Amino acid sequence: MSYHWHDEYEFLISNNDGAQCTVDGEQVTLNKDDVLMIRGGALHSLHLDLGKSVTAIVVHPDFWTGNELSVWFESLEFSNFFSKNSELGNEVIKL
């Protein structure tokens, strides 16, 4: 997918090893079950080899406003990369 941006936050969950993501000029390689969270407005792209896939969850910023998740969500630094091999990554993946 070529470079693009949107107001929504995007969560990419890799279904295979080797997804190549670039967010605001920083390149990240996702392995199976890794999660990349992209802040709304960030310029980003995704490259997948044939037969590879990611699950993308796109959430409008208004979803986080005025509820108990807003404090947690606003404390995160973006872009955040979470690996299944880390304690925090496991917690994010459980969400």
Side-chain angles (χ1 to χ4, degrees), residues 51-64:
K52 307 277 181 158
S53 65
V54 297
T55 299
I57 301 169
V58 180
V59 181
H60 194 276
D62 289 348
F63 177 79
W64 306 108

Side-chain angles (χ1 to χ4, degrees), residues 55-80:
T55 299
I57 301 169
V58 180
V59 181
H60 194 276
D62 289 348
F63 177 79
W64 306 108
T65 306
N67 62 48
E68 60 275 0
L69 290 176
S70 63
V71 173
W72 173 80
F73 193 73
E74 290 170 5
S75 71
L76 295 176
E77 294 180 21
F78 284 81
S79 286
N80 281 311

Side-chain angles (χ1 to χ4, degrees), residues 2 7 77 79 89 92 95:
S2 62
D7 292 332
E77 294 180 21
S79 286
V92 169
L95 291 175

